[in-house]
Amino acid sequence: LAEMMNFLAIYPSMNFEHWWTLNGWSPHEIAGFALCVALLSPLVVSAAFYALQRRAIWGPWVTRDFTCLLPPGALLRALALCDLGFLNYRSPSFVAAIIVSVVVDVARNATVWCSILGILGNKWYALKGGYLCMMVTTLSS
């Protein structure tokens, strides 16, 4: 249910490249920001999974807690737009907040799938549960 609600709000928040344009950044600079996101995402996912794997010796509760307690990136992007994007022209803190929110969203979505597949232990149940979650999130977005 939480993923369904997240994906209902994620589509409008994925226009952050347009938000950067409205904030005064040029397309060349926005391409650099996108490259930064592309380089940071695998590193953050690897670090998050390494840390979660080290903590998961007692069970899958760590990935569930990380998934449930970390706010969605869409919420962080909305807060950044309202608090920084509208008030400051060419704000570096706005760009940093958007990049952090995208990287957090990547890590959160990866842990959602990891926790779904980890909790449903049996391969058949994990496959059915994964497809069910994918169907619900696709219908929501």
Side-chain angles (χ1 to χ4, degrees), residues 8-41:
L8 283 173
I10 205 166
Y11 180 73
S13 73
M14 291 307 292
N15 293 330
F16 54 88
E17 291 93 0
H18 183 65
W19 296 353
W20 282 332
T21 303
L22 294 175
N23 195 249
W25 298 96
S26 69
H28 177 68
E29 294 166 324
I30 293 172
F33 302 152
L35 181 64
C36 180
V37 168
L39 292 176
L40 282 177
S41 293

Short mmCIF file of all heavy atoms in Angstrom, two decimals, residues 8-41:
data_model
loop_
_atom_site.label_atom_id
_atom_site.label_comp_id
_atom_site.label_asym_id
_atom_site.label_seq_id
_atom_site.Cartn_x
_atom_site.Cartn_y
_atom_site.Cartn_z
N LEU A 8 1.91 6.93 -6.80
CA LEU A 8 0.90 7.91 -7.21
C LEU A 8 1.49 9.32 -7.24
O LEU A 8 1.09 10.15 -8.04
CB LEU A 8 -0.30 7.87 -6.26
CG LEU A 8 -1.27 6.71 -6.47
CD1 LEU A 8 -2.30 6.70 -5.34
CD2 LEU A 8 -1.95 6.80 -7.81
N ALA A 9 2.45 9.59 -6.36
CA ALA A 9 3.05 10.92 -6.27
C ALA A 9 4.36 11.03 -7.03
O ALA A 9 4.89 12.13 -7.17
CB ALA A 9 3.28 11.28 -4.81
N ILE A 10 4.89 9.92 -7.51
CA ILE A 10 6.23 9.97 -8.08
C ILE A 10 6.26 10.58 -9.48
O ILE A 10 7.25 11.20 -9.86
CB ILE A 10 6.88 8.57 -8.06
CG1 ILE A 10 8.38 8.71 -8.04
CG2 ILE A 10 6.46 7.73 -9.23
CD1 ILE A 10 9.10 7.46 -7.69
N TYR A 11 5.21 10.43 -10.25
CA TYR A 11 5.25 10.95 -11.63
C TYR A 11 5.47 12.46 -11.69
O TYR A 11 6.35 12.92 -12.40
CB TYR A 11 4.00 10.55 -12.41
CG TYR A 11 4.02 11.07 -13.81
CD1 TYR A 11 4.86 10.50 -14.76
CD2 TYR A 11 3.23 12.15 -14.18
CE1 TYR A 11 4.92 10.98 -16.04
CE2 TYR A 11 3.28 12.64 -15.48
CZ TYR A 11 4.12 12.06 -16.40
OH TYR A 11 4.18 12.55 -17.66
N PRO A 12 4.70 13.27 -10.95
CA PRO A 12 4.96 14.71 -11.04
C PRO A 12 6.31 15.11 -10.48
O PRO A 12 6.90 16.10 -10.89
CB PRO A 12 3.84 15.36 -10.22
CG PRO A 12 2.94 14.30 -9.79
CD PRO A 12 3.52 12.99 -10.15
N SER A 13 6.84 14.32 -9.56
CA SER A 13 8.12 14.69 -8.96
C SER A 13 9.31 14.27 -9.81
O SER A 13 10.44 14.61 -9.49
CB SER A 13 8.25 14.08 -7.57
OG SER A 13 8.47 12.69 -7.66
N MET A 14 9.07 13.54 -10.89
CA MET A 14 10.18 13.13 -11.75
C MET A 14 10.53 14.19 -12.79
O MET A 14 11.41 13.99 -13.62
CB MET A 14 9.85 11.80 -12.46
CG MET A 14 9.81 10.62 -11.51
SD MET A 14 11.28 10.41 -10.48
CE MET A 14 12.50 9.97 -11.68
N ASN A 15 9.87 15.33 -12.76
CA ASN A 15 10.16 16.43 -13.67
C ASN A 15 11.19 17.39 -13.09
O ASN A 15 11.16 18.57 -13.38
CB ASN A 15 8.88 17.19 -14.01
CG ASN A 15 7.92 16.36 -14.80
OD1 ASN A 15 8.32 15.49 -15.55
ND2 ASN A 15 6.64 16.62 -14.62
N PHE A 16 12.10 16.86 -12.28
CA PHE A 16 13.04 17.76 -11.61
C PHE A 16 14.02 18.40 -12.58
O PHE A 16 14.57 19.45 -12.29
CB PHE A 16 13.77 17.06 -10.46
CG PHE A 16 14.47 15.78 -10.85
CD1 PHE A 16 15.75 15.80 -11.32
CD2 PHE A 16 13.83 14.57 -10.71
CE1 PHE A 16 16.39 14.64 -11.67
CE2 PHE A 16 14.46 13.40 -11.04
CZ PHE A 16 15.75 13.43 -11.53
N GLU A 17 14.26 17.82 -13.77
CA GLU A 17 15.10 18.49 -14.77
C GLU A 17 14.42 19.79 -15.22
O GLU A 17 15.09 20.79 -15.42
CB GLU A 17 15.36 17.58 -15.98
CG GLU A 17 16.25 16.40 -15.70
CD GLU A 17 15.48 15.16 -15.32
OE1 GLU A 17 14.22 15.22 -15.27
OE2 GLU A 17 16.11 14.13 -15.07
N HIS A 18 13.11 19.74 -15.37
CA HIS A 18 12.36 20.96 -15.72
C HIS A 18 12.42 21.96 -14.57
O HIS A 18 12.52 23.17 -14.80
CB HIS A 18 10.92 20.59 -16.06
CG HIS A 18 10.09 21.74 -16.50
ND1 HIS A 18 10.35 22.44 -17.66
CD2 HIS A 18 9.02 22.33 -15.93
CE1 HIS A 18 9.48 23.41 -17.79
NE2 HIS A 18 8.65 23.37 -16.76
N TRP A 19 12.40 21.46 -13.33
CA TRP A 19 12.49 22.35 -12.17
C TRP A 19 13.84 23.06 -12.17
O TRP A 19 13.92 24.24 -11.83
CB TRP A 19 12.32 21.58 -10.87
CG TRP A 19 10.98 20.96 -10.69
CD1 TRP A 19 9.87 21.10 -11.46
CD2 TRP A 19 10.61 20.06 -9.65
NE1 TRP A 19 8.83 20.36 -10.97
CE2 TRP A 19 9.26 19.70 -9.85
CE3 TRP A 19 11.28 19.51 -8.57
CZ2 TRP A 19 8.58 18.85 -9.02
CZ3 TRP A 19 10.60 18.65 -7.73
CH2 TRP A 19 9.26 18.33 -7.95
N TRP A 20 14.92 22.35 -12.55
CA TRP A 20 16.23 22.98 -12.61
C TRP A 20 16.26 24.05 -13.70
O TRP A 20 16.88 25.10 -13.53
CB TRP A 20 17.32 21.95 -12.89
CG TRP A 20 17.70 21.13 -11.69
CD1 TRP A 20 17.62 21.51 -10.38
CD2 TRP A 20 18.22 19.81 -11.69
NE1 TRP A 20 18.07 20.49 -9.58
CE2 TRP A 20 18.45 19.45 -10.35
CE3 TRP A 20 18.53 18.90 -12.68
CZ2 TRP A 20 18.97 18.22 -9.98
CZ3 TRP A 20 19.04 17.67 -12.32
CH2 TRP A 20 19.27 17.34 -10.99
N THR A 21 15.59 23.80 -14.83
CA THR A 21 15.53 24.79 -15.90
C THR A 21 14.79 26.04 -15.41
O THR A 21 15.23 27.16 -15.67
CB THR A 21 14.81 24.21 -17.13
OG1 THR A 21 15.48 23.02 -17.54
CG2 THR A 21 14.79 25.19 -18.27
N LEU A 22 13.69 25.84 -14.72
CA LEU A 22 12.96 26.99 -14.18
C LEU A 22 13.75 27.73 -13.11
O LEU A 22 13.54 28.93 -12.89
CB LEU A 22 11.62 26.53 -13.60
CG LEU A 22 10.61 25.99 -14.61
CD1 LEU A 22 9.37 25.47 -13.89
CD2 LEU A 22 10.24 27.06 -15.61
N ASN A 23 14.67 27.04 -12.45
CA ASN A 23 15.50 27.66 -11.43
C ASN A 23 16.67 28.42 -12.03
O ASN A 23 17.41 29.07 -11.32
CB ASN A 23 15.99 26.59 -10.44
CG ASN A 23 16.55 27.16 -9.17
OD1 ASN A 23 17.73 27.08 -8.93
ND2 ASN A 23 15.69 27.75 -8.34
N GLY A 24 16.85 28.33 -13.35
CA GLY A 24 17.87 29.13 -14.01
C GLY A 24 19.09 28.37 -14.48
O GLY A 24 20.04 28.98 -14.97
N TRP A 25 19.11 27.07 -14.38
CA TRP A 25 20.27 26.29 -14.80
C TRP A 25 20.19 26.00 -16.28
O TRP A 25 19.12 25.77 -16.83
CB TRP A 25 20.37 25.00 -13.99
CG TRP A 25 20.56 25.24 -12.53
CD1 TRP A 25 19.59 25.25 -11.59
CD2 TRP A 25 21.78 25.53 -11.86
NE1 TRP A 25 20.13 25.52 -10.35
CE2 TRP A 25 21.48 25.70 -10.50
CE3 TRP A 25 23.09 25.66 -12.27
CZ2 TRP A 25 22.45 25.99 -9.55
CZ3 TRP A 25 24.07 25.94 -11.32
CH2 TRP A 25 23.74 26.11 -9.99
N SER A 26 21.33 25.98 -16.95
CA SER A 26 21.37 25.71 -18.40
C SER A 26 21.34 24.20 -18.65
O SER A 26 21.66 23.41 -17.76
CB SER A 26 22.64 26.31 -19.00
OG SER A 26 23.78 25.60 -18.55
N PRO A 27 20.96 23.79 -19.88
CA PRO A 27 20.93 22.35 -20.19
C PRO A 27 22.29 21.67 -20.02
O PRO A 27 22.36 20.50 -19.64
CB PRO A 27 20.46 22.30 -21.64
CG PRO A 27 19.68 23.54 -21.82
CD PRO A 27 20.35 24.57 -20.95
N HIS A 28 23.38 22.39 -20.30
CA HIS A 28 24.72 21.81 -20.12
C HIS A 28 24.99 21.50 -18.64
O HIS A 28 25.55 20.45 -18.31
CB HIS A 28 25.77 22.78 -20.67
CG HIS A 28 27.16 22.32 -20.48
ND1 HIS A 28 27.68 21.22 -21.14
CD2 HIS A 28 28.15 22.79 -19.68
CE1 HIS A 28 28.94 21.05 -20.76
NE2 HIS A 28 29.24 21.99 -19.88
N GLU A 29 24.59 22.40 -17.77
CA GLU A 29 24.77 22.17 -16.33
C GLU A 29 23.86 21.04 -15.83
O GLU A 29 24.27 20.24 -14.99
CB GLU A 29 24.49 23.45 -15.56
CG GLU A 29 25.48 24.55 -15.85
CD GLU A 29 25.01 25.90 -15.35
OE1 GLU A 29 23.79 26.18 -15.41
OE2 GLU A 29 25.87 26.69 -14.92
N ILE A 30 22.65 20.97 -16.35
CA ILE A 30 21.71 19.92 -15.96
C ILE A 30 22.24 18.55 -16.39
O ILE A 30 22.08 17.57 -15.66
CB ILE A 30 20.31 20.20 -16.54
CG1 ILE A 30 19.74 21.45 -15.87
CG2 ILE A 30 19.39 19.02 -16.35
CD1 ILE A 30 18.46 21.95 -16.48
N ALA A 31 22.91 18.48 -17.54
CA ALA A 31 23.52 17.22 -17.97
C ALA A 31 24.60 16.79 -16.98
O ALA A 31 24.76 15.59 -16.69
CB ALA A 31 24.10 17.36 -19.38
N GLY A 32 25.33 17.74 -16.44
CA GLY A 32 26.33 17.42 -15.40
C GLY A 32 25.68 16.91 -14.13
O GLY A 32 26.20 15.98 -13.49
N PHE A 33 24.54 17.49 -13.76
CA PHE A 33 23.82 17.00 -12.58
C PHE A 33 23.32 15.57 -12.80
O PHE A 33 23.39 14.74 -11.90
CB PHE A 33 22.63 17.90 -12.26
CG PHE A 33 22.98 19.34 -12.01
CD1 PHE A 33 22.06 20.34 -12.28
CD2 PHE A 33 24.21 19.71 -11.51
CE1 PHE A 33 22.36 21.67 -12.06
CE2 PHE A 33 24.53 21.04 -11.28
CZ PHE A 33 23.60 22.01 -11.57
N ALA A 34 22.82 15.29 -14.02
CA ALA A 34 22.34 13.95 -14.34
C ALA A 34 23.49 12.94 -14.31
O ALA A 34 23.32 11.81 -13.85
CB ALA A 34 21.65 13.93 -15.69
N LEU A 35 24.66 13.35 -14.76
CA LEU A 35 25.83 12.48 -14.69
C LEU A 35 26.22 12.22 -13.24
O LEU A 35 26.59 11.09 -12.88
CB LEU A 35 27.00 13.12 -15.45
CG LEU A 35 28.29 12.32 -15.48
CD1 LEU A 35 28.08 11.01 -16.24
CD2 LEU A 35 29.39 13.14 -16.11
N CYS A 36 26.09 13.22 -12.40
CA CYS A 36 26.36 13.05 -10.97
C CYS A 36 25.41 12.03 -10.36
O CYS A 36 25.83 11.17 -9.58
CB CYS A 36 26.24 14.40 -10.27
SG CYS A 36 26.56 14.35 -8.50
N VAL A 37 24.13 12.10 -10.71
CA VAL A 37 23.15 11.13 -10.22
C VAL A 37 23.49 9.73 -10.71
O VAL A 37 23.45 8.75 -9.96
CB VAL A 37 21.71 11.52 -10.64
CG1 VAL A 37 20.74 10.40 -10.40
CG2 VAL A 37 21.27 12.77 -9.92
N ALA A 38 23.87 9.63 -11.99
CA ALA A 38 24.20 8.32 -12.57
C ALA A 38 25.45 7.72 -11.92
O ALA A 38 25.55 6.50 -11.78
CB ALA A 38 24.40 8.45 -14.07
N LEU A 39 26.39 8.54 -11.52
CA LEU A 39 27.60 8.02 -10.88
C LEU A 39 27.39 7.71 -9.41
O LEU A 39 27.99 6.77 -8.87
CB LEU A 39 28.75 9.03 -11.04
CG LEU A 39 29.26 9.23 -12.46
CD1 LEU A 39 30.31 10.32 -12.49
CD2 LEU A 39 29.81 7.93 -13.03
N LEU A 40 26.55 8.49 -8.74
CA LEU A 40 26.33 8.28 -7.31
C LEU A 40 25.39 7.13 -7.00
O LEU A 40 25.54 6.47 -5.98
CB LEU A 40 25.77 9.55 -6.68
CG LEU A 40 26.75 10.67 -6.38
CD1 LEU A 40 26.02 11.87 -5.83
CD2 LEU A 40 27.82 10.21 -5.41
N SER A 41 24.42 6.88 -7.86
CA SER A 41 23.40 5.86 -7.57
C SER A 41 23.97 4.47 -7.33
O SER A 41 23.64 3.83 -6.32
CB SER A 41 22.35 5.83 -8.67
OG SER A 41 21.63 7.02 -8.67
#
